């Protein structure tokens, strides 16, 4: 199981632009390196990242071999209403990880 860290405000005013930072622990093995036995190591990368705010996608990224281990993604979104943000990572070998966090949006 991967470990993910999400950093974002717990509260915001309606209409505020908020920064969201997400980091997940993953080796991101490219499939191009040679192991100790002289054979290519199997590829194992995270292929996609999606963030949904109350079910609506607000950010998405397609990841490739050039992304470093423990990928860090930062983006901004508009605080519109209180609710849940869902962060979804999917990758090779059936890798899937989901985290959720809540935000409380107050009137401006």
């Amino acid at each position: 199981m991967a470990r993910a860290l999400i950093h974002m405000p717990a509260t915001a005013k309606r209409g505020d632009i908020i920064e969201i930072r997400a980091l997940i622990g993953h080796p991101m093995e490219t499939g191009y390196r040679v192991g100790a036995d002289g054979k290519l190591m199997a590829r194992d990368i995270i292929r996609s990242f999606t963030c949904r705010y109350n079910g609506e996608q607000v950010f998405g990224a397609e990841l490739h071999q050039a992304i470093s281990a423990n990928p860090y993604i930062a983006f901004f979104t508009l605080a519109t209403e209180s609710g849940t943000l869902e962060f979804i990572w999917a990758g090779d070998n059936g890798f899937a990880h989901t985290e959720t966090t809540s935000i409380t949006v107050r009137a401006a």
Side-chain angles (χ1 to χ4, degrees), residues 47 64 97 106:
R47 309 276 310 189
H64 300 277
H97 187 81
R106 57 190 190 282

Side-chain angles (χ1 to χ4, degrees), residues 27-108:
M28 296 295 281
E29 184 55 57
T30 65
Y32 299 131
R33 290 188 322 138
V34 176
D37 61 359
K39 297 180 182 177
L40 284 178
M41 296 174 72
R43 185 177 89 164
D44 184 13
I45 66 169
I46 295 174
R47 309 276 310 189
S48 66
F49 170 78
T50 305
C51 177
R52 297 182 192 282
Y53 186 176
N54 288 338
E56 181 181 337
Q57 183 173 329
V58 293
F59 184 83
E62 187 176 308
L63 307 178
H64 300 277
Q65 288 96 331
I67 303 296
S68 70
N70 307 318
Y72 169 79
I73 297 172
F75 59 97
F76 296 88
T77 193
L78 187 65
T80 56
E81 61 186 356
S82 295
T84 303
L85 284 95
E86 180 180 37
F87 304 88
I88 305 160
W89 292 265
D92 292 341
N93 307 314
F95 178 83
H97 187 81
T98 302
E99 293 279 333
T100 58
T101 190
S102 298
I103 186 167
T104 301
V105 176
R106 57 190 190 282

